[in-house]
Amino acid sequence: MYIWQGGAVWQGGQGTASAGALNARSDPLNSDPAISGNGTANIERVVMHQAHGDLAANGDCAVNAAGCEQFYKTELDRKPKIEQRYNVANEMSLTFMNDMSNKTFTDKTAIDPANNNNTLTLLGPDAPIAATPGPVGGDGDFDIHTDSQTSRITAGAHTWSAGAGPGQSRGTWTYYADGPAAAPTVGMNPDALVN
């Protein structure tokens, strides 16, 4: 993880672009974001790759990973890629992936379906078999693009604007679950926790 340095200075070093209190250095994991700065950072001053599990050579989750989760934000002004993969040999394969990395934080449109993957495949001799694939056929496999009765993908339909905290932290998240032309919708906003 790399965080662009903010302007505030506190004993022990330069501050980061978050709205944590000056004493956060002695209690960085405090649950109060006004102290720790958690949830207040300027998201456009962070690049990070958090992953655990089976990774491929390029750093992404391996296609046949027994278990893998990653959050990958490679550029300051871009949204992240989020991925989970679980595979149990001869039993099941589960993939969830939202790649929003082609979107800036001013883009309020939902993710392109080609960058969204949510599938479950049942494998092996005990997997249900049906003449017609999908939930109607009863085989248990699922692909959000073909098997969802009603699908409204809203991943990526959010914006972030800079705030007045150190390094433009304490910004505003806005969610557009009903589409970019609709009024903003209410969502979890970590910055709202900070007074």
Side-chain angles (χ1 to χ4, degrees), residues 53-102:
D54 302 327
L55 300 176
N58 68 355
D60 281 344
C61 287
V63 172
N64 293 317
C68 185
E69 298 179 358
Q70 77 166 331
F71 181 96
Y72 202 14
K73 184 178 182 298
T74 60
E75 297 186 41
L76 294 172
D77 68 337
R78 300 291 165 161
K79 296 177 183 179
K81 174 181 179 178
I82 303 167
E83 183 176 18
Q84 295 178 318
R85 291 181 182 269
Y86 297 97
N87 293 282
V88 179
N90 295 318
E91 289 189 28
M92 57 84 73
S93 175
L94 176 77
T95 300
F96 172 84
M97 187 267 296
N98 277 327
D99 187 351
M100 300 171 281
S101 60
N102 64 340

Side-chain angles (χ1 to χ4, degrees), residues 93-147:
S93 175
L94 176 77
T95 300
F96 172 84
M97 187 267 296
N98 277 327
D99 187 351
M100 300 171 281
S101 60
N102 64 340
K103 297 177 155 299
T104 66
F105 282 96
T106 59
D107 185 342
K108 56 188 175 182
T109 59
I111 192 172
D112 183 317
N115 293 327
N116 170 256
N117 187 352
N118 188 350
T119 59
L120 169 67
T121 304
L122 300 178
L123 308 165
D126 296 328
I129 298 173
T132 306
V136 175
D139 67 355
D141 291 354
F142 176 80
D143 182 328
I144 196 168
H145 299 298
T146 58
D147 299 327

